[in-house]
Amino acid sequence: MTNHHPEHGSGEGQCAFEELCGRRNSTVRLIDPRMPELARCLTLLQYVQAVTGGPVARIEQAGNYAVPSLRGEAFTVQPGSIALRVDGEGVASALVVRDKSSGAVALRLLDASGRTVHQGELLSEGDRLLVSLAGAPDIGALFTKGATVPESPAWEDGDQLAQLDAILVDGGAARRASFDRYRGEHRAIDVGVLPAVLEHVCSAGLPIGVAVFAPAAMQAYSGRVHVTDQTVGGRVFAAFAESSVQIDLAGVRACHLVRSTAAHGPTSAIELDDEDGRCVAVITQLGMVGEHVHTAWEHLAASLPYG
C-alpha cells in the first residue's frame, strides 16, 4: 500500500489547478472529467492504487477500475475491480499529476472547491504512457456541467442505493437534518462498538460491504475481513483481500443504524458521521449475498447497543 493522501486545496477548481501547476516538482495536465470520457479513461488503466476519503475515513484498493457509475445509475461491486461512483455535477476537473522527483504519476478528480475527491496512482509504466496520450478537453468545458445526472429516487422512501446517493450529493447533510422524514427504520448506536463489529465479522468469516465517501465520490468494496486492528489513538483498520479501510473513531461524531430495502429485503447499514454531520463511511451488505450471510448480518445489527 502507498501512503499518498488525497490533498485538499482551497478556492475554486481553476485555482487548485494553477496551484498544482506552480509546484516546481510536479507537472500537471488536464484531462476530460465528463462521463463517459472519464469512465473510458479509467477503465483502460491496468493497475492503479485507488484512494477515496478524508481524515476520518479512507479506503484504498489496488487493481483495475470497473466502469464507474454516476449517481442515479445502477451500481454493483464486482470482485477484483475498483468500484467508483461519482456525482457528475460535483466533479469539476480531472488532472494527471507527475512528481518529477519520484516519477510517481496520479490521476486526480477534483470538485469545484479544488479538493481531491479521488486519486488513482498509476503503478505500471504502461498506464503512465497511456494517460500521457489522453487528449486534453476544451478548457471552457472543464468547469461546466458534464454528463446529465439521472434522476435519483427520493431517499425518504428509497432503497439502499437511494440512501447512498443522497450521501453522495452533500455527504448526506441535508438527509440527516431531515431524517425524521425517513420512512425506514433508523436509530443511533454507540460508535464504540465498531472495533468489536469488525473483529466479529473477521473471526466469523462474515463478508461485509464498505463504502467510503469524499465530496462527490464514493468508493466501495465487498468481501471478508482478513485482519483488523486498532491503535491507541482510536484509529481502526480493516484489511480485505484486495482493499483496506481505516476509520478514525475520534473523528466520528455520530453513528446510526439504518435499514433500507436491498437485494434481500430490509438490510441494515452502519453509518458514520464526522463533526460536520457528513457521512464518511457506511458498513453494510452490498448487492447479492447468500441468505445465510444476510441473516447473520441482521442478527449482528439487531444486537448493537443504542447510542
Side-chain angles (χ1 to χ4, degrees), residues 13 16 36 63 89 94 110 159 161 187 190 192 200 212 214 258 285 294 299:
E89 295 180 330
L110 277 62
D159 61 8
L161 190 53
R187 63 181 175 91
D190 182 2
H200 174 77
V212 174
V258 180
Q285 295 295 331
H294 183 265
H299 284 164

Side-chain angles (χ1 to χ4, degrees), residues 3-10 16 19-20 23 25-26 28 51 53-55 58 95 97 99 106 108-111 113-119 214-215:
N3 293 318
H4 294 280
H5 291 257
E7 298 176 10
H8 295 265
S10 58
E19 179 185 353
L20 283 167
R23 296 181 182 177
N25 66 334
S26 298
V28 180
V51 182
R58 170 185 172 92
L95 313 175
V97 182
D99 188 301
R108 297 182 183 178
L109 307 185
L110 277 62
D111 68 3
S113 296
R115 295 173 294 189
T116 298
V117 302
H118 177 76
Q119 174 175 296

